[in-house]
Structure formats: structure tokens, C-alpha cells
Amino acid sequence: MTAAPAPSKKRSLLRKFLYLAAAAVLLGSLLLSYMQWEANTLKFRETQAPAGCLPGLSGLRILVLSDVHTSLPLLEEAVQMAGKAKPDMIVFLGDLYTDYQRATHAGDYIRQFQKLSSIAPSYACLGNHDMALSGNVERILKEGGFTLLRNSASFITVPRLGNAEFKLAGLGDVREGDCFPAKCMTPAEPGGDSPMPTIVLCHNPKGRELLDRYHWDLMLSGHTHGGQIRLPFFSSPLLMMEGETMASGFYPYGKKSVFVTPGIGYVGPGRFNCPPEVSLITIP
């Protein structure tokens, strides 16, 4: 008959278990604290577009903002960065709010967007989270001085570049079934005259897959949060869930280019190895 473990051995095993549990709680708390700190440490990154992606627009400077996700303090910080960057234009790529959070402080957001639109001509498209609150988001953008492009386009002249012209098309959100490129984009016609350079604003970079029949040169997107949680040697859980291969930065798509910004805000516990970012693109 096997003897029961001695009381001292039971106490020793229990003590080890408690130590391990305490260490796990401590490490988890430290990790969550770090993720919150990184998520609130906004970076400014200037990057150059691929050569030849927008003929005739060399020197154009575009400030890209996306995915605020109700992070008003980060938006305020981004406004300060935008003022120092001196862009030719500013684009906001959607997800001002997070749809499961209460939409509040509209006046504060309007004031920040007004500051942005006073820096340079400013344009926006909507993201998937915006759709549930679209009336409020559209009001904030319009009162903030932004031109909202929702399956519509604007023709833009840049005086600093000798009145160079290009087309800016803004699409609705892909996941929410609001993406209708036929309303605002020119069909691609092989062998035809070269159309005007075209930039597309599309919150979700997956929108590129719907544009093969249309003319465009550069797409600007957000939505991915850069992956938000990037573990060494592993794919980001957020990107795996989305089935997305474009995390952040420039990517070729045939003869075209797609730029994805990590965005400003986040959802969930925070960011890891993927800080929030204000992006300034210069066309070479």
C-alpha cells in the first residue's frame, strides 16, 4: 500500500505553485503595462514612395492618418506632428471611433480636425468601425474641414508643384459592403491614352482586389494597425484573422503600389512591437 505524501511535501508543492502563479501574474501585468505604454507612444515616420509610382508629382508630401479608435490624446499629438511636417495634403483613412464604444466628445474631435485642415487641404474616407456611427463621423469630418470621399472623387491641383494635377478617389469600406469603385474610378483601357495620375483612399487594403479593372497608381490604406501585436517568428494574430499579407509600409501590386499605415489607435489590450504612427509620404 503506497503511503500518502508527507504534509511537508504537500506544503512545498503548494508553495511552488503559488510562487509560479504569482510570477505569471506579475509577468502578465508587466506585459500589459508595456503594451499600453507602447500603444500610447506615437511615432512620426517619413518614408519615400517607390520611384515612378505617381508620374509628374515628384516632391508631393502626403500626411497619412488612420485608425484613431477613440484615442483623442493621440489624435491631439498627431495634430502637433502634422503642423511640423508641412505636408501638401492630409488624408484620414477611417475608423475615428470604435463601434462598440460610446461616441462622445464630438466637439473635441471637430476642433482637432479643424486644426489639421488649417495645415493643408484634407480628405477622408470611412472605415468599417465608422459605419455604425457614420452620421456622427461624417459630421465631425465635414465640420472639421475635411472633404469626405465616399465612393466619390476630387481633382486636385498642387500649386507648389507648378499646378500639377491628380485624381483622388475615396472608396467606402470593403467589409461593410460599401465599396463601389465604378462610381468614382476610371476603367483601365489597355493601349489608350495615359489617364491622370490617381491616388485611391481605401480603409482596408483588401480593397485592392476589387480594382483590377480600374486605373489607379497608388492606394493609401489603414485598418491593419500594422499587425498591432507582432511576436518574433510568428504572424500577427490580427493579420491572420484578416487573412491579410500587407501589414505596414509600401507593397507592390502588379505595376501599382499600396501603402498601409499602422495607424494611431488600437483595439484590445494594446500594442507589442508595433507602435502607432503618423506617416509622411514623399513622392520621389
Side-chain angles (χ1 to χ4, degrees), residues 168-189:
L168 183 68
L171 300 176
D173 187 69
V174 175
R175 287 178 58 182
E176 298 299 315
D178 190 46
C179 184
F180 302 105
K183 292 184 176 182
C184 60
M185 298 186 66
T186 304
E189 297 182 5

Side-chain angles (χ1 to χ4, degrees), residues 4-267:
S8 60
K9 288 185 177 180
K10 285 184 176 180
R11 285 195 294 272
S12 177
L13 288 172
L14 179 60
R15 190 179 299 113
K16 289 179 180 178
F17 173 78
L18 291 174
Y19 285 154
L20 287 172
V25 170
L26 177 60
L27 287 173
S29 298
L30 290 173
L31 178 60
L32 287 174
S33 295
Y34 173 82
M35 291 174 68
Q36 280 290 304
W37 173 82
E38 182 175 305
N40 289 281
T41 305
L42 187 62
K43 306 291 185 183
F44 178 84
R45 186 168 75 97
E46 186 168 359
T47 184
Q48 186 166 284
C53 74
L54 281 170
L57 292 172
S58 178
L60 180 68
R61 292 161 62 83
I62 308 171
L63 190 94
V64 182
L65 305 173
S66 188
D67 297 274
V68 173
H69 285 292
T70 326
S71 300
L72 182 60
L74 287 175
L75 178 59
E76 293 171 347
E77 192 175 348
V79 171
Q80 298 300 316
M81 293 179 175
K84 296 176 182 178
K86 298 180 179 179
D88 295 300
M89 61 182 293
I90 296 172
V91 297
F92 175 66
L93 302 175
D95 279 5
L96 175 61
Y97 287 127
T98 302
D99 57 13
Y100 56 79
Q101 293 179 326
R102 187 181 174 194
T104 58
H105 304 290
D108 292 331
Y109 287 95
I110 289 170
R111 281 187 285 275
Q112 296 307 313
F113 279 105
Q114 286 174 339
K115 291 178 182 179
L116 286 169
S117 63
S118 71
I119 295 168
S122 300
Y123 304 86
C125 65
L126 297 182
N128 55 297
H129 283 268
D130 295 324
M131 298 302 291
L133 306 162
S134 60
N136 196 22
V137 173
E138 289 187 15
R139 179 175 70 87
I140 289 171
L141 292 170
K142 290 176 180 177
E143 291 187 20
F146 274 63
T147 298
L148 175 62
L149 299 176
R150 186 173 178 181
N151 299 304
S152 58
S154 288
F155 293 91
I156 299 173
T157 301
V158 187
R160 191 179 66 82
L161 301 180
N163 292 325
E165 294 182 305
F166 66 95
K167 180 178 179 179
L168 183 68
L171 300 176
D173 187 69
V174 175
R175 287 178 58 182
E176 298 299 315
D178 190 46
C179 184
F180 302 105
K183 292 184 176 182
C184 60
M185 298 186 66
T186 304
E189 297 182 5
D193 295 335
S194 296
M196 181 179 290
T198 300
I199 299 174
V200 178
L201 308 183
C202 185
H203 174 71
N204 191 332
K206 281 283 186 183
R208 66 189 183 273
E209 298 171 358
L210 305 179
L211 304 184
D212 289 343
R213 296 190 297 110
Y214 300 93
H215 169 75
W216 56 281
D217 301 285
L218 172 64
M219 174 185 283
L220 304 178
S221 297
H223 184 65
T224 66
H225 303 180
Q228 189 167 305
I229 297 174
R230 291 181 175 176
L231 302 174
F233 312 111
F234 292 93
S235 296
S236 162
L238 182 61
L239 296 181
M240 290 175 64
M241 183 174 62
E242 291 280 337
E244 182 55 78
T245 57
M246 296 183 178
S248 64
F250 278 99
Y251 295 87
Y253 185 68
K255 295 182 179 181
K256 311 173 193 303
S257 297
V258 178
F259 176 78
V260 185
T261 177
I264 295 173
Y266 62 98
V267 293

